[in-house]
Amino acid sequence: MADQMVVGRAARPSGSRWSGSSTDSARKLSDPAVRVRFREERGSRVAYVDMVHSHVERLLQDEFALCRLERDADGDYGFRQGSAGYYVRVVDGDPVVVRVFAIAVVGVKRSAKLLAELNSVNTHLVFGRVFWVAGMVMVEHTLLASSIDRETLARAARSVATVSDEVGPLLAAVFGGVTAFTESERNGAVDC
C-alpha cells in the first residue's frame, strides 16, 4: 500500500488532496469517495467495539474461571460480591472505554451530609469514584479499552465491588435506601 498512509485508525491515500488543509474541506465533504470511506471507517469502528467486547469477555472468563458469560439487555456483564452487584460495560465513544460500576445503594435521598460523606470516601480512593445520581449511590471506574489487560480489568472490578460492598450497607443504614443484596443473601451466597 505504497499510495496510502495511516492517519488515526483509517488508511487514507497520500497526497495533497488528503492533507486536511482548510481549502480542501468543502471539496472533501462533497466527494463521494469521502462518504464511502466514512462508511468504511464507521464499519471498522463497529468491528473495533465488537473486538473490545470479545477481549473483555475473554479477560473476565479467564480471571473469574468462567466458561461463558452473557450480556444483559443493557450489554453489561453482571457479577456479585457480598452486598454488591457490579457490572462491566464496553462504551462506544471517542475513545472506547470499559466502565466497571456498581449501584451501592438504591432509593437514597440526596442531602448535604450524604454528599459530604461521598466526598470523604472519594478522598481515600486510589482508583474510581463514588457519586450520587437519581436516587442511587454509584461506584465507578473507567478504563481505556485500548490499554486494557487482565490485571487492570480485574483490579478495577475488585476495587469497585469491594468499595460498593463496604460503603453500600453503611450508607443505607445511615442515609436510607437498600443495597443490591441483603445481609442474609450476602451470607448465603457464593461470591464471584
Side-chain angles (χ1 to χ4, degrees):
M1 294 190 157
D3 65 329
Q4 292 190 354
M5 63 181 183
V6 175
V7 179
R9 290 191 182 119
R12 301 189 190 268
S14 59
S16 61
R17 190 173 103 132
W18 296 92
S19 66
S21 68
S22 60
T23 58
D24 293 334
S25 296
R27 184 169 170 208
K28 283 198 260 181
L29 293 175
S30 63
D31 186 345
V34 172
R35 286 192 296 265
V36 170
R37 276 199 183 73
F38 179 71
R39 285 190 202 111
E40 289 171 356
E41 288 173 12
R42 286 185 57 107
S44 66
R45 177 118 180 125
V46 170
Y48 178 72
V49 172
D50 289 342
M51 181 198 70
V52 171
H53 270 288
S54 177
H55 182 59
V56 165
E57 191 169 303
R58 182 57 190 244
L59 294 174
L60 292 168
Q61 287 172 322
D62 290 349
E63 181 61 28
F64 297 111
L66 301 168
C67 354
R68 131 185 116 90
L69 286 172
E70 291 186 25
R71 287 186 257 173
D72 65 15
D74 295 324
D76 304 332
Y77 302 100
F79 298 91
R80 176 174 177 196
Q81 178 177 313
S83 66
Y86 68 98
Y87 305 89
V88 177
R89 175 184 291 172
V90 175
V91 180
D92 185 5
D94 190 16
V96 176
V97 297
V98 176
R99 184 165 290 143
V100 182
F101 65 97
I103 302 169
V105 182
V106 176
V108 61
K109 291 183 180 179
R110 183 176 66 176
S111 69
K113 288 183 179 182
L114 172 66
L115 298 178
E117 184 63 29
L118 298 181
N119 281 342
S120 176
V121 171
N122 281 322
T123 63
H124 295 94
L125 294 178
V126 176
F127 299 107
R129 61 191 178 131
V130 179
F131 58 96
W132 180 94
V133 62
M136 299 178 289
V137 173
M138 305 282 295
V139 181
E140 179 182 82
H141 186 71
T142 304
L143 306 163
L144 286 172
S146 60
S147 62
I148 199 165
D149 61 15
R150 181 177 173 178
E151 181 182 347
T152 304
L153 182 57
R155 190 176 303 265
R158 286 194 176 93
S159 174
V160 165
T162 300
V163 170
S164 182
D165 184 39
E166 289 176 358
V167 303
L170 296 172
L171 293 172
V174 174
F175 299 102
V178 295
T179 60
F181 299 97
T182 65
E183 191 64 31
S184 61
E185 290 170 319
R186 173 188 179 145
N187 291 335
V190 175
D191 289 347
C192 295

